């Protein structure tokens, strides 16, 4: 077999051909758009923190309401301690309690539950928060 093609060794042919294709390929890749934009990635990265904050706010809103303050006062529980404990909950626990808090507030606003029932729900929420925090420390 002939080791030369038109006076050029074969081992040089492929690298030279590759160099001719590479700039074109690189240019084509630069022109392609990314599937996910940087802004979308930033938004997706911020969602869990926003969701967590919204869930914590829902629980704090229930506890800081008039009914919540009365329930905490009757149980002789300091709001600040419970508020601090809310921040220590896992995302899943926070989401569950926030859902219950929202439902309780909506049901109370719609007249489906009494103030006394709402107070029991608030106290149950406080007890759950405290238990979860205590168990997670062990």
């Amino acid at each position: 077999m002939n080791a030369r093609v038109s006076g050029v060794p074969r081992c040089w042919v492929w690298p030279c051909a590759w160099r001719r294709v590479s700039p074109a390929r690189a240019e084509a890749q630069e022109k392609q758009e990314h599937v996910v934009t940087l802004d979308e990635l930033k938004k997706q990265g911020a969602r869990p923190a926003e969701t967590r904050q919204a869930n914590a706010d829902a629980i704090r809103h229930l506890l800081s309401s008039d009914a919540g303050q009365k329930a905490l006062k009757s149980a002789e529980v300091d709001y600040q301690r419970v508020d601090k404990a809310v921040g220590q909950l896992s995302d899943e626990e926070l989401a569950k309690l926030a859902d219950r808090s929202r439902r309780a507030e909506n049901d109370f606003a719609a007249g489906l539950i009494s103030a006394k029932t709402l107070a029991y729900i608030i106290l149950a929420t406080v007890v759950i928060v405290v238990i979860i925090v205590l168990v997670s420390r062990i």
Side-chain angles (χ1 to χ4, degrees), residues 42-117:
K42 287 179 183 177
K43 288 177 185 176
Q44 287 176 357
R47 276 190 203 129
E50 291 170 356
T51 301
R52 180 173 175 78
Q53 185 62 46
N55 288 336
D57 289 346
I59 295 170
R60 289 179 175 119
H61 185 266
L62 178 67
L63 296 175
S64 65
S65 67
D66 289 338
Q69 290 297 310
K70 286 178 185 174
L72 290 172
K73 188 175 182 179
S74 70
E76 298 179 10
V77 176
D78 182 32
Y79 173 80
Q80 297 301 325
R81 295 181 87 188
V82 176
D83 183 54
K84 184 178 177 183
V86 167
Q88 297 175 5
L89 298 175
S90 72
D91 291 344
E92 183 180 339
E93 295 160 343
L94 200 60
K96 287 179 183 177
L97 284 175
D99 183 51
R100 290 178 186 161
S101 298
R102 288 181 187 109
R103 278 190 280 149
E105 283 192 287
N106 291 338
D107 289 351
F108 180 70
L112 299 175
I113 60 173
S114 67
K116 187 175 183 177
T117 304

Side-chain angles (χ1 to χ4, degrees), residues 5-32:
V5 177
S6 303
V8 178
R10 263 192 206 173
C11 61
W12 291 3
V13 172
W14 286 111
C16 292
W18 180 251
R19 286 186 186 148
R20 288 184 191 156
V21 174
S22 291
R25 178 179 275 173
E27 187 177 325
Q29 287 177 346
E30 287 176 16
K31 289 182 180 179
Q32 290 178 349

Side-chain angles (χ1 to χ4, degrees), residues 34-49:
H34 294 283
V35 176
V36 180
T37 65
L38 185 57
D39 287 338
E40 289 173 349
L41 284 174
K42 287 179 183 177
K43 288 177 185 176
Q44 287 176 357
R47 276 190 203 129

